[in-house]
Amino acid sequence: MQAYFSDKTVLITGAAGFIGSHLVDQLLKFGATVIGVDNFITGRHVNLQHLANNSHFTLIEADVSQPVASYLSQEQLESLGLVLHFASPASPPAYQNKPIETYLVNSSGTHNLLSALQANNPDCRLLFASTSEVYGDPLVHPQTEDYFGNVNPNGERSCYDEAKRLGETICGVFQRYYQMDVRIVRIFNTYGPRMRFDDGRILPNFINQALERKPLTVYGEGKQTRSYCFVDDLVRGILLLASGAELSGETVNLGNPEEYTVLETAVLVQKIINGSVAADDILFHDLPKDDPTRRKPDISKATELLDFTPIVDFRTGLEQTIAYFESPESKILD
Ligand code: NAD
Ligand code: UDP
């Protein structure tokens, strides 16, 4: 896949975020020229600071919900061979705190990118970062791509879930109506270095609570499940999907199907960091509304189309993530 990227100029929206910044690094390693765009609503400069003197990387501070011409020159737009549209708050507390920005970047942002490409550079490929949240509180388990989901259209999570679903709709329209090369990745819970310390998602919360010897905040009874993918595996899968031949119009789940309850997750994190678990190491809180009960990706399509299988086991990935949260860099909030 490296050869596909080596002569490409790639635009990454959300480049200063957790996944976006890892994509930037891998694409630069593959020899691509990268333009990153971010408005730093949840992203951090520190995630890209090591690239300050890299002549193959340009960082533009802008809101990608706005028309593309407001932040890219005509020359830059025409130079693009690939767009990875990853801009969007992703943590439930973050997107519930910025609901309008969240639905705009996934809807208007996706529309503005695709319409600018259609008018100026219609052969440029676009990959949209969708989510397992399009399945809502799923009634099918594990979740396959052909499942339409069970989403509350007007709940606390809908600014994100429904916006991702509309983003997928917009991708499908440009792909079918204009025969553009558009691909969709449905990402399941991913973790690793460069997540924000104050992100609010399960693993940054549990790891930082355990490191500070505070009780781990389990929501509900902790019986709900998630399946966690280490970021290196996810990035490999994304770049396989972005570079593969004849995948236009495909929607593919990416994640690690190993499923844990939230309580099992808390116990494992606490044991790795502090060696044992006592009753007062865990504090039960109310379960947030519409919190999905079970989540596990069926990745047979990714395996078949991309030869993708995750290789980093949960304990190894957790150890790397814990080491990151022990580093001073993780405490920098900008
Ligand atoms: P993140 O919050 O770390 O990164 C998102 C980045 O997008 C941030 O740098 C933020 O500043 C930027 N951004 C948001 N709105 C923007 C706008 N209007 N203009 C420019 N930049 C903007 O989140 P992440 O975990 O890296 O997620 C990246 C993408 O992957 C998101 O689209 C998210 O929905 C998707 N995703 C992530 C996960 C996961 O487990 N991490 C799961 C499913 C989907
Ligand atoms: N969760 C928890 N304690 C926390 C943070 C999250 O018990 O401090 C639970 C949350 O209720 C959900 C699961 O962990 O069931 C995953 O939450 P996260 O916010 O990471 O992502 P989600 O998969 O819900 O989008």
Side-chain angles (χ1 to χ4, degrees):
M1 78 170 139
Q2 175 159 3
Y4 171 81
F5 296 108
S6 61
D7 64 344
K8 292 268 176 316
T9 299
V10 182
L11 177 75
I12 306 187
T13 75
F18 160 51
I19 297 174
S21 63
H22 286 283
L23 285 168
V24 172
D25 283 346
Q26 191 55 55
L27 285 167
L28 290 170
K29 274 187 203 147
F30 282 168
T33 299
V34 179
I35 303 174
V37 190
D38 209 293
N39 66 352
F40 293 91
I41 192 175
T42 54
R44 300 184 301 150
H45 290 90
V46 71
N47 287 341
L48 298 172
Q49 71 180 4
H50 57 290
L51 302 175
N53 298 319
N54 188 316
S55 59
H56 297 282
F57 179 63
T58 307
L59 177 62
I60 298 171
E61 190 156 346
D63 177 354
V64 299
S65 300
Q66 298 301 314
V68 173
S70 67
Y71 60 89
L72 278 193
S73 67
Q74 184 66 20
E75 195 187 346
Q76 283 172 319
L77 179 55
E78 287 175 11
S79 74
L80 300 177
L82 174 69
V83 174
L84 301 176
H85 183 28
F86 277 67
S88 170
S91 144
Y95 65 65
Q96 286 165 23
N97 193 30
K98 302 275 182 204
I100 295 174
E101 291 86 342
T102 299
Y103 71 64
L104 283 178
V105 71
N106 287 295
S107 52
S108 303
T110 308
H111 171 79
N112 286 339
L113 282 163
L114 281 166
S115 51
L117 291 177
Q118 191 273 323
N120 297 281
N121 184 359
D123 292 333
C124 178
R125 187 176 287 177
L126 181 139
L127 184 144
F128 175 58
S130 186
T131 169
S132 54
E133 296 274 329
V134 300
Y135 302 121
D137 190 3
L139 305 175
V140 166
H141 192 84
Q143 291 79 56
T144 45
E145 288 87 350
D146 57 4
Y147 175 48
F148 293 166
N150 176 38
V151 176
N152 178 351
N154 187 18
E156 284 164 19
R157 300 172 81 102
S158 60
C159 61
Y160 183 73
D161 302 7
E162 292 290 19
K164 289 289 187 188
R165 289 168 66 97
L166 179 54
E168 290 201 13
T169 303
I170 294 165
C171 289
V173 168
F174 277 81
Q175 193 267 326
R176 287 188 299 274
Y177 194 74
Y178 292 115
Q179 289 80 50
M180 289 174 68
D181 189 332
V182 187
R183 302 158 185 218
I184 296 169
V185 54
R186 291 189 181 144
I187 301 168
F188 284 66
N189 296 67
T190 298
Y191 70 101
R194 300 195 188 151
M195 293 185 95
R196 291 183 73 100
F197 166 80
D198 61 349
D199 182 275
R201 282 179 274 190
I202 184 168
L203 290 171
N205 275 8
F206 285 179
I207 291 171
N208 286 299
Q209 289 159 350
L211 287 172
E212 292 169 17
R213 294 200 169 255
K214 290 181 179 159
L216 277 60
T217 53
V218 168
Y219 302 160
E221 295 174 45
K223 288 184 182 160
Q224 67 275 33
T225 68
R226 294 295 185 272
S227 309
Y228 309 102
C229 185
F230 189 64
V231 66
D232 291 1
D233 281 331
L234 181 81
V235 162
R236 193 178 66 259
I238 289 167
L239 296 183
L240 283 167
L241 177 59
S243 61
E246 293 176 20
L247 296 176
S248 181
E250 294 292 352
T251 298
V252 180
N253 286 341
L254 286 179
N256 186 326
E258 216 174 87
E259 186 181 8
Y260 295 82
T261 67
V262 162
L263 192 56
E264 284 168 346
T265 310
V267 168
L268 181 63
V269 169
Q270 174 66 13
K271 274 193 182 155
I272 295 176
I273 294 178
N274 292 319
S276 63
V277 189
D280 59 0
D281 286 334
I282 290 178
L283 200 60
F284 291 93
H285 289 245
D286 289 345
L287 185 68
K289 266 185 118 187
D290 296 333
D291 198 292
T293 315
R294 294 185 75 189
R295 184 181 293 153
K296 167 181 166 148
D298 181 318
I299 58 163
S300 33
K301 186 170 177 183
T303 307
E304 216 171 284
L305 285 185
L306 313 174
D307 197 19
F308 170 80
T309 31
I311 53 178
V312 181
D313 69 83
F314 194 27
R315 181 175 270 271
T316 307
L318 275 176
E319 282 166 357
Q320 288 193 38
T321 311
I322 292 163
Y324 177 75
F325 281 118
E326 286 174 319
S327 73
E329 181 185 311
S330 71
K331 304 294 182 290
I332 300 170
L333 290 180
D334 178 37

